[in-house]
């Protein structure tokens, strides 16, 4: 690896901008990959896409307190910055921005970004305030780095739509790119939260993807939304999921409810369900 491609780690907005300025002056394009760390192959797929999109890649590692509810796993969320830095370096990421919470939210911080409508359903209904926290931190990261491209995973499809909407509504000059979900060989979507699963739960977890694929296939074969959603929920219960937050067919552009009859194009099937204290989400295209 040439020194020019060594990973630099910065923790302040000022240091981030100090690295970005000469790149801009040299007409180099920048891709931003926001993450909460505990990086896995799914995140690295985003970094690889970023590499193809721009001359310089900036990954952010920030466990954003504002997107966690009071009863959620903020303090338990996995953190391993040294390992993250090694993985990013191996992918030829140029810069890792890992701010402390006080750098992002200094005393007196009082602004929030809220994207109405699409933030209120699915994970937004199950996790009140979550997408406000996401929209606020993503807006800040985009303002801090002013990237040409920002990369997000389809694993969090609703988040991707929220970001697309805020970028459009606030006239931000950035292209938002979605990357397909990286999965384990048994279909389980890779997630930092998979680390919480016991071996028994890990064996059940891929059935979430199986149920989604089953629903998408039934819809594609002309089945109704009502039947596909009922069969999906029944499959999750039979597999051993203890609680189902949702199993729903919705519009892929606007998250509008589909059904009860056939699903119009473009639709996706979305699910969130619990194994013990771990909440898993996934979605597939119809
Ligand atoms: P997180 O660290 O969980 O906030 O995720 C950071 C980014 O990585 C988000 O854009 C996620 O959608 C994306 N991501 C997480 N898991 C995956 C996956 N399995 N495949 C693709 N992208 C992912």
């Amino acid at each position: 690896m040439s020194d020019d491609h060594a990973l630099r780690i910065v923790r302040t907005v000022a240091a981030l901008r100090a690295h970005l300025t000469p790149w801009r002056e040299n007409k180099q394009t920048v891709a931003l990959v926001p993450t909460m760390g505990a990086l896995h192959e799914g995140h690295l797929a985003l970094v690889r896409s970023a590499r193809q999109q721009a001359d310089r890649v900036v990954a952010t590692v920030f466990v954003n307190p504002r997107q966690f509810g009071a009863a959620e796993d903020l303090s338990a969320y996995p953190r391993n910055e040294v390992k993250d830095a090694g993985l990013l370096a191996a992918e030829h990421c140029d810069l890792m921005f890992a701010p402390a919470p006080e750098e992002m939210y200094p005393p007196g911080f009082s602004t929030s970004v809220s994207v109405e409508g699409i933030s209120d359903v699915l994970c937004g209904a199950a996790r009140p305030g979550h997408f406000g926290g996401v929209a606020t931190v993503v807006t800040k990261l985009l303002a801090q780095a002013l990237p040409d491209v920002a990369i997000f995973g389809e694993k969090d499809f609703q988040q991707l739509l929220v970001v697309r909407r805020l970028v459009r509504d606030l006239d931000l000059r950035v292209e938002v790119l979605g990357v397909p979900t990286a999965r384990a060989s048994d279909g389980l979507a890779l997630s930092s939260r998979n680390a919480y699963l016991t071996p028994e739960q890990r064996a059940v977890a891929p059935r979430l993807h199986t149920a989604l694929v089953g629903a998408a296939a039934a819809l594609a074969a002309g089945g109704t939304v009502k039947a596909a959603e009922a069969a999906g929920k029944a499959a999750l219960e039979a597999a051993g999921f203890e609680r189902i937050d949702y199993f729903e067919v919705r519009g892929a552009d606007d998250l509008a409810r589909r059904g009860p009859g056939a699903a119009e194009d473009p639709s996706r099937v979305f699910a969130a369900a619990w194994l013990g204290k771990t909440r898993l989400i996934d979605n597939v295209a119809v």
Side-chain angles (χ1 to χ4, degrees), residues 34-37 40 42-43 46 67 77 151-156 159 179-183 189-192:
T35 83
M36 297 205 301
H40 51 64
H43 298 111
L46 269 52
Q67 71 188 70
Y77 196 82
I151 321 266
F152 294 85
E154 290 185 350
K155 156 87 178 3
D156 302 279
Q159 169 173 278
V179 172
T181 303
R183 301 180 179 282
L190 300 181
S191 165
S192 307

Side-chain angles (χ1 to χ4, degrees), residues 196-206 241-242 275-278 280:
Y196 300 150
L197 298 171
T198 65
E200 294 74 26
Q201 291 167 342
R202 176 62 186 79
V204 174
F241 284 87
E242 285 133 64
L275 287 171
K277 290 192 167 71
T278 305
L280 300 178

Side-chain angles (χ1 to χ4, degrees), residues 169-225:
D169 289 354
L170 299 179
D171 305 303
L172 303 184
R173 206 169 66 180
V174 60
E175 183 195 339
V176 177
L177 189 78
V179 172
T181 303
R183 301 180 179 282
S185 56
D186 59 11
L188 176 65
L190 300 181
S191 165
S192 307
R193 290 190 167 97
N194 293 349
Y196 300 150
L197 298 171
T198 65
E200 294 74 26
Q201 291 167 342
R202 176 62 186 79
V204 174
R207 305 279 288 275
L208 183 63
H209 180 239
T210 313
L212 287 166
V213 170
L219 291 165
T224 68
V225 168

